[in-house]
Amino acid sequence: MGPIQIKCSCGEKNCQEWAVIELQGVIEAQPEFQNCLQNLEIGQLCRPSSQETYTFTVAYHELTGTKVKLKKPLLVLKKVKHSDESVNSSESSATVELDVIGIIRQKILFKTRPKALITSSKKVLA
Amino acid sequence: MDRSGDAEAVLDLQPNSSISVAYHPDFGPHDDLLLLELDEKLLPDVLCERVSLRGEPDEEAVFCTHSKTYGIKFVGTSNSVFLIPPTNTLSFPKNAMNVDCDEQKFDKPASISVLKVASGNLELVEVAPRLDKLKLLLLQKPFSIEEVSEMDTYSGSEEHIFVYRWDDLIGRIQASDSELRLGLEALNALEINGFWRILDDKCIDSVLNMLLHNAVLNDWSFDALPENEVVSVMESDGFPSKLSTHCLRVYGSKVDNNDHDGVSLWKLNEKEVCLHFARRILRNGKVKKDKFLVEWNSKIPRGMHTRFEMLEGEVLTERIGVEIWIHAFSVSSLPSTPAERFSILFKERPKWELKDLDPYIRDLKVPGLSSEALLLKYTRRSQPRPDVEPIFSAR
């Protein structure tokens, strides 16, 4: 097997930038949506002021975060399999390539615990 | 840097505006998408397609630039890392733009799509090239003296088992191009009819002996061998020019020569030639030191001088009773990974003095670790008194 080539069709200057939203923990959908998350709304991302601070509202939770420049860029690679039909034999072998399809240089990071937007009302005992 | 669609909507979100975040219509594990963290200085190499992943299917892949090798490790995260592509990457319609933060009701909110939640990313760590396998591959079928006669009649149609072209090697060896070339050089490998070969002992003996014999016959100085004459005479003795120039390269060095009308001159390296004959004597096993020295001096060409220090990293001596015996133990035969190297060293000898051990670890290349650091990691140092040499044993 030969080396796996890392290809980049976009060239050095105009590699497409991807975005990342990172938060602590996991967002869990309600049981009835767990197998069909496609198109489901997660929440609302908001930039309340000219500063690089953001809020992310997920249901009744609000997260506060900032835009962070990554110390080292992340490349988004896509594994592509090409099947090589060999001329002499009936066997076909697959060669793998990795295509650079994007770059990530910054992320919006929510590293604090969520704040509850509603609180349960206190019951007054008679 | 091109930004478009969803990613742009996130990264360029305007003050006092908001945007809805949803799962992409194609949201899923997308195991074919990988994140690779890399140093800014490596970026041009990747974007200009000068890198590759190397290694066989049953090995851990390494990432190679033209001159360096990097190990790849996966670093997991317990955070949720939402990946948002530019819309046109996945031919997904571009969304409307931002909506005011305070506006609670809107018919069709601007929305960005999360394609995947990444569980971590790949990281690169500079490592030494893994060249031990190169020697194993090339020693499967060394070039023999019997093949010399076929060199010039090669047709290319023969069956090739256990011989390797450059392209075969870069697919199998976990090293960058530069490191692989240096590895081939260190093994004194030679490209013959497109295949990289190591000459077997009998073959290299024959070529060197004929070269030395012709030097005496033609009254050539060992310090100024004329390349074209050497090649011509050797060819008439049945040795193709490729073998004689290879022999000059292995056992000599080119002389800077401005006043010989463009004739290339070579100087034989006394140490390399003497070492060749020492190895030949020790092929048969352990020898008494005195007997070895007599035989060694009798074998080398007149005008050359042996010194026992030449054998550093090539032989070990041991005292048995009143006699000192000597046997071959060459650093070039040892593995290049520190753990394996030290394991073999301590099997050979449980305790080492630094002066004996140093020649066997000097060549170990581990990025970020000096020889001292390797000794700390893999050996136990003991020194009963300050006035005696420290002893190193297995940790």
Side-chain angles (χ1 to χ4, degrees):
Chain A
M1 193 184 112
I4 296 174
Q5 294 304 323
I6 298 182
K7 298 282 186 189
C8 181
S9 49
C10 55
E12 195 175 347
K13 292 285 178 280
N14 42 11
C15 194
Q16 292 203 313
E17 194 162 2
W18 286 44
V20 162
I21 294 174
E22 183 175 334
L23 43 108
Q24 282 193 339
V26 179
I27 291 180
E28 280 192 354
Q30 289 173 347
E32 61 267 33
F33 293 112
Q34 259 170 5
N35 295 322
C36 50
L37 294 176
Q38 289 78 1
N39 296 316
L40 189 68
E41 188 178 341
I42 301 167
Q44 197 78 10
L45 179 70
C46 181
R47 184 179 170 191
S49 69
S50 58
Q51 291 176 313
E52 291 285 6
T53 54
Y54 296 79
T55 61
F56 189 29
T57 309
V58 181
Y60 299 116
H61 303 284
E62 187 179 83
L63 296 153
T64 305
T66 54
K67 191 191 277 187
V68 177
K69 188 180 187 307
L70 301 183
K71 286 194 184 93
K72 292 180 181 179
L74 285 167
L75 286 182
V76 185
L77 305 176
K78 187 176 173 65
K79 204 186 288 182
V80 182
K81 276 196 176 119
H82 302 288
S83 58
D84 299 339
E85 293 292 337
S86 30
V87 182
N88 300 334
S89 70
S90 55
E91 293 172 31
S92 67
S93 63
T95 60
V96 177
E97 266 179 12
L98 288 172
D99 283 355
V100 178
I101 59 168
I103 189 166
I104 300 163
R105 289 191 175 277
Q106 43 197 344
K107 63 184 176 185
I108 297 177
L109 175 64
F110 297 94
K111 59 179 179 186
T112 54
R113 296 181 79 82
K115 182 175 83 179
L117 291 178
I118 54 167
T119 53
S120 54
S121 54
K122 289 178 185 171
K123 287 185 180 174
V124 182
L125 296 172
Chain B
M1 197 68 61
D2 181 28
R3 284 188 189 170
S4 55
D6 290 15
E8 182 188 30
V10 174
L11 298 171
D12 295 339
L13 189 61
Q14 295 305 303
N16 304 310
S17 58
S18 72
I19 194 163
S20 171
V21 180
Y23 289 109
H24 195 285
D26 291 328
F27 176 81
H30 288 284
D31 295 326
D32 58 339
L33 288 184
L34 309 167
L35 294 181
L36 172 66
E37 181 189 73
L38 81 169
D39 215 293
E40 197 75 51
K41 69 174 192 282
L42 290 177
L43 208 50
D45 281 334
V46 177
L47 299 181
C48 295
E49 302 188 350
R50 293 192 292 258
V51 298
S52 60
L53 299 186
R54 294 184 180 180
E56 301 220 55
D58 60 339
E59 297 170 327
E60 285 181 16
V62 291
F63 175 100
C64 294
T65 64
H66 173 67
S67 58
K68 285 192 173 163
T69 303
Y70 297 85
I72 304 168
K73 64 174 185 181
F74 181 78
V75 181
T77 178
S78 57
N79 285 3
S80 292
V81 178
F82 293 144
L83 286 189
I84 298 154
T87 314
N88 55 5
T89 305
L90 298 125
S91 53
F92 190 59
K94 200 164 180 172
N95 295 308
M97 273 319 289
N98 308 342
V99 177
D100 192 285
C101 271
D102 300 325
E103 191 180 325
Q104 294 303 314
K105 289 180 183 171
F106 26 80
D107 299 332
K108 193 165 186 294
S111 164
I112 54 167
S113 299
V114 172
L115 182 67
K116 168 186 170 113
V117 180
S119 57
N121 61 268
L122 301 170
E123 261 183 21
L124 301 180
V125 184
E126 193 181 333
V127 293
R130 294 163 189 174
L131 292 167
D132 292 343
K133 190 175 165 188
L134 178 62
K135 188 175 184 179
L136 293 176
L137 290 180
L138 298 188
L139 283 176
Q140 286 177 319
K141 191 181 178 189
F143 185 82
S144 66
I145 195 75
E146 289 75 29
E147 291 181 77
V148 171
S149 56
E150 301 157 22
M151 270 179 76
D152 296 329
T153 58
Y154 174 78
S155 67
S157 59
E158 294 89 347
E159 195 180 0
H160 304 297
I161 302 169
F162 302 134
V163 288
Y164 303 92
R165 296 182 188 276
W166 174 261
D167 285 348
D168 300 324
L169 294 174
I170 60 171
R172 287 174 166 85
I173 305 298
Q174 295 170 299
S176 67
D177 287 6
S178 295
E179 291 164 328
L180 182 53
R181 285 199 191 282
L182 288 171
L184 288 165
E185 218 172 276
L187 291 171
N188 295 326
L190 170 65
E191 194 177 10
I192 299 172
N193 297 325
F195 296 97
W196 284 92
R197 310 290 299 274
I198 290 178
L199 306 191
D200 73 10
D201 291 339
K202 200 170 157 193
C203 183
I204 199 73
D205 281 353
S206 304
V207 183
L208 181 61
N209 283 339
M210 187 56 78
L211 178 70
L212 295 170
H213 176 69
N214 281 324
V216 174
L217 278 184
N218 293 281
D219 209 20
W220 296 326
S221 160
F222 289 148
D223 290 344
L225 296 172
E227 185 181 327
N228 51 0
E229 287 182 55
V230 170
V231 167
S232 167
V233 171
M234 293 283 281
E235 269 185 323
S236 65
D237 288 322
F239 292 96
S241 61
K242 196 150 210 176
L243 290 186
S244 34
T245 51
H246 177 67
C247 189
L248 288 171
R249 259 199 315 277
V250 172
Y251 293 102
S253 53
K254 226 171 195 161
V255 178
D256 282 338
N257 162 39
N258 303 319
D259 41 288
H260 280 79
D261 308 324
V263 174
S264 293
L265 296 181
W266 290 78
K267 175 183 176 158
L268 284 186
N269 181 324
E270 185 176 65
K271 181 185 173 183
E272 288 303 323
V273 175
C274 290
L275 263 178
H276 171 85
F277 288 102
R279 287 188 193 113
R280 210 162 85 177
I281 298 163
L282 293 169
R283 256 177 232 161
N284 304 321
K286 208 178 273 191
V287 187
K288 284 181 189 168
K289 187 179 174 183
D290 298 344
K291 184 172 179 261
F292 164 78
L293 290 173
V294 171
E295 194 178 345
W296 190 23
N297 280 304
S298 71
K299 286 270 196 295
I300 58 154
R302 187 170 289 141
M304 288 194 177
H305 305 284
T306 63
R307 293 185 314 283
F308 198 73
E309 304 82 73
M310 287 175 171
L311 302 175
E312 185 186 69
E314 289 292 330
V315 302
L316 286 177
T317 56
E318 59 180 317
R319 186 178 287 279
I320 301 173
V322 292
E323 290 169 331
I324 295 173
W325 289 72
I326 183 169
H327 69 278
F329 188 69
S330 176
V331 65
S332 64
S333 68
L334 300 176
S336 62
T337 52
E340 290 175 64
R341 171 81 60 98
F342 279 101
S343 167
I344 288 173
L345 288 172
F346 289 121
K347 272 193 193 110
E348 175 66 29
R349 200 184 258 191
K351 292 180 179 354
W352 291 78
E353 282 187 18
L354 186 59
K355 63 177 169 51
D356 296 330
L357 183 59
D358 185 58
Y360 293 99
I361 61 169
R362 205 184 288 150
D363 68 311
L364 281 177
K365 298 273 186 295
V366 181
L369 280 184
S370 62
S371 287
E372 290 75 22
L374 287 170
L375 283 172
L376 271 173
K377 187 172 179 181
Y378 292 100
T379 69
R380 182 175 276 114
R381 184 179 190 270
S382 55
Q383 193 172 12
R385 296 193 319 276
D387 58 323
V388 296
E389 284 294 313
I391 298 291
F392 295 87
S393 54
R395 182 167 276 289

